[in-house]
Amino acid sequence: MTGVETRTVSRDSLFLLANVRIEHESEQHRVRVRNLSDGGMMGEGPLQVQRGNRVEVELRNIGKIGGNIAWVQDQRFGIAFDEEVESHLARKPGGESTIAPTDSAALSRAHRAPPLPEARNLRKV
């Protein structure tokens, strides 16, 4: 990839978990959502997919969305959604998540961002 920004759609950088199901498979895979826009997402996880695979993604506060694998690089991949979604909804805290965890380890809260430092504790550089 080059350092030139060629994207025309804004996206949110965030850390969410989602379930992805590859077409013609019954198993759901838990993946990290690294960024999300109304038209697609970048995910990360040990998912064996190839460009062009059909998938179904389940996102918090949004639900299930169909899409295609647009690119794959190591354990990261891009999904182009079939329809645009309201990606900002995934950032909102949900009461009960619509995504069922695959095991108890999936409930880890270790990936929350630390609180912002107080202004009086900052120093000018």
Side-chain angles (χ1 to χ4, degrees):
M1 295 186 157
T2 66
V4 177
E5 183 63 46
T6 59
R7 296 181 182 127
T8 58
V9 178
S10 66
R11 57 193 28 83
D12 289 334
S13 291
L14 66 161
F15 186 86
L16 291 175
L17 294 175
N19 288 329
V20 174
R21 187 182 62 79
I22 303 168
E23 190 174 56
H24 305 300
E25 290 185 14
S26 59
E27 182 182 0
Q28 288 189 356
H29 305 273
R30 193 75 152 172
V31 300
R32 291 178 196 94
V33 179
R34 290 296 183 187
N35 63 47
L36 178 67
S37 71
D38 290 352
M41 64 173 259
M42 178 175 69
E44 181 179 38
L47 191 63
Q48 298 298 313
V49 291
Q50 295 178 0
R51 187 170 186 237
N53 284 146
R54 294 281 307 151
V55 293
E56 182 180 74
V57 181
E58 188 174 0
L59 290 166
R60 175 182 72 195
N61 297 333
I62 293 175
K64 293 181 180 178
I65 312 140
N68 287 311
I69 299 294
W71 57 269
V72 179
Q73 184 177 18
D74 300 323
Q75 287 197 351
R76 292 186 177 195
F77 51 89
I79 298 176
F81 298 147
D82 292 340
E83 300 174 9
E84 287 198 353
V85 299
E86 295 183 53
S87 58
H88 67 277
L89 295 176
R91 276 197 178 276
K92 293 183 179 182
E96 285 295 313
S97 174
T98 59
I99 300 173
T102 55
D103 60 34
S104 60
L107 295 175
S108 171
R109 306 289 187 229
H111 297 290
R112 288 191 176 166
L116 294 174
E118 294 182 25
R120 63 185 167 91
N121 293 334
L122 297 176
R123 63 185 180 136
K124 198 171 193 176
V125 179

